[in-house]
């Protein structure tokens, strides 16, 4: 049986303005970050619904974008929370009636991921519980004191740069975020939330430059 997957697209971050305009609305070769991210999520054909979690300054744009998307996929617009974790939790609850097996959680500020990477992370999540995209660190890592003075070089052999979309078994990440909200934890990464409550997400190597 094919797993039913949903998506959460986070468009509600604060402090993302340049020149008075939200960074997510800045065009990149004709399309902004929200448009590019939503197109990539929809193009996999794996998602039955996407919850777009928004701040007030992008709501009008996102509602128009969803309307223009037609019937290709069910999209729901949700108000963001006071921090990233609260926004993810609102997105998860918006999807809870869809009987999902998997969910992909993505920051719209990273618009350059490929549908192939998303599909790979979904496959890993189905098999392992969580699939988190990223790249192994290749730069030298150095620890300093508060004044920038060298203390030591760090071993980078098992260090990764974490990206999104991060994919999980829906019921497991839902339970982890529910527990985090009830306990008052504010973790900035979905994989960290999953691991905090017993999950073991697997890193998935990506090729594209999926930068913010």
């Amino acid at each position: 049986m094919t797993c039913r997957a949903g998506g959460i697209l986070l468009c509600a971050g604060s402090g993302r303005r340049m020149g008075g305009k939200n960074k997510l609305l800045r065009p990149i070769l004709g399309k902004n970050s929200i448009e590019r991210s939503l197109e990539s999520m929809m193009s996999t054909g794996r998602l039955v619904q996407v919850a777009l979690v928004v701040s007030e300054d992008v709501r009008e744009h996102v509602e128009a974008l969803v309307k223009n998307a037609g019937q290709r996929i069910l999209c729901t617009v949700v108000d963001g929370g006071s921090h990233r974790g609260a926004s993810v939790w609102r997105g998860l609850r918006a999807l809870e009636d869809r009987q999902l097996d998997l969910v992909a959680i993505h920051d719209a500020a990273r618009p350059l991921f490929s549908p192939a990477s998303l599909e790979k992370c979904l496959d890993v999540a189905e098999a392992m519980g969580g699939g988190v995209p990223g790249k192994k660190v290749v730069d030298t890592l150095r620890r300093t004191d508060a004044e920038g003075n060298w203390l030591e070089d760090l071993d980078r052999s098992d260090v990764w740069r974490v990206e999104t979309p991060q994919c999980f078994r829906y019921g497991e990440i839902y339970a982890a975020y529910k527990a985090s909200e009830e306990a008052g934890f504010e973790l900035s990464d979905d994989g960290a939330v999953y691991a905090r409550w017993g999950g073991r997400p697997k890193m998935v190597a990506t090729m594209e430059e999926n930068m913010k």
Side-chain angles (χ1 to χ4, degrees), residues 127-140:
M128 307 292 293
V132 176
K135 297 180 183 64
K136 279 202 167 186
V137 172
V138 297
D139 299 310
T140 297

Side-chain angles (χ1 to χ4, degrees), residues 20-63:
K21 187 175 183 179
N22 193 307
K23 182 173 72 173
L24 297 180
L25 299 179
R26 293 277 178 170
I28 304 171
L29 298 177
K31 295 180 181 179
N32 63 44
S33 293
I34 298 173
E35 292 167 339
R36 290 188 178 279
S37 294
L38 183 59
E39 282 187 0
S40 290
M41 295 183 86
M42 292 193 299
S43 67
T44 66
R46 297 275 297 271
L47 308 184
V48 298
Q49 183 177 359
V50 175
L52 295 96
V53 187
V54 303
S55 55
E56 188 58 36
D57 56 344
V58 302
R59 170 175 278 278
E60 183 177 353
H61 173 80
V62 169
E63 288 178 341

Side-chain angles (χ1 to χ4, degrees), residues 25 30 32 39 52 58 73 89 100 110 118 121 146 150 159 162 174 183-184 194:
L25 299 179
N32 63 44
E39 282 187 0
L52 295 96
V58 302
I73 188 171
W89 178 228
L100 300 176
R110 293 183 183 272
L118 172 54
C121 288
W150 178 90
V159 179
V162 176
Y174 184 101
Y194 188 64

Side-chain angles (χ1 to χ4, degrees), residues 136-208:
K136 279 202 167 186
V137 172
V138 297
D139 299 310
T140 297
L141 298 176
R142 180 162 296 153
R143 190 167 69 86
T144 70
D145 61 19
E147 286 73 44
N149 299 310
W150 178 90
L151 294 177
E152 62 178 331
D153 286 343
L154 303 177
D155 182 9
R156 67 188 180 197
S157 59
D158 296 317
V159 179
W160 291 70
R161 280 195 300 130
V162 176
E163 302 170 356
T164 65
Q166 299 186 24
C167 300
F168 306 90
R169 293 175 186 154
Y170 177 82
E172 294 176 12
I173 194 65
Y174 184 101
Y177 263 104
K178 185 175 187 291
S180 291
E181 285 296 300
E182 291 174 348
F185 290 127
E186 293 186 18
L187 301 174
S188 63
D189 175 75
D190 309 305
V193 174
Y194 188 64
R196 175 65 179 79
W197 300 100
R200 294 290 299 273
K202 181 178 177 61
M203 293 302 300
V204 179
T206 58
M207 298 300 295
E208 66 267 17

Side-chain angles (χ1 to χ4, degrees), residues 91-106:
L92 287 167
R93 285 186 294 158
L95 298 173
E96 63 186 349
D97 293 333
R98 298 292 291 175
Q99 298 181 323
L100 300 176
D101 301 297
L102 304 171
V103 64
I105 305 169
H106 182 58

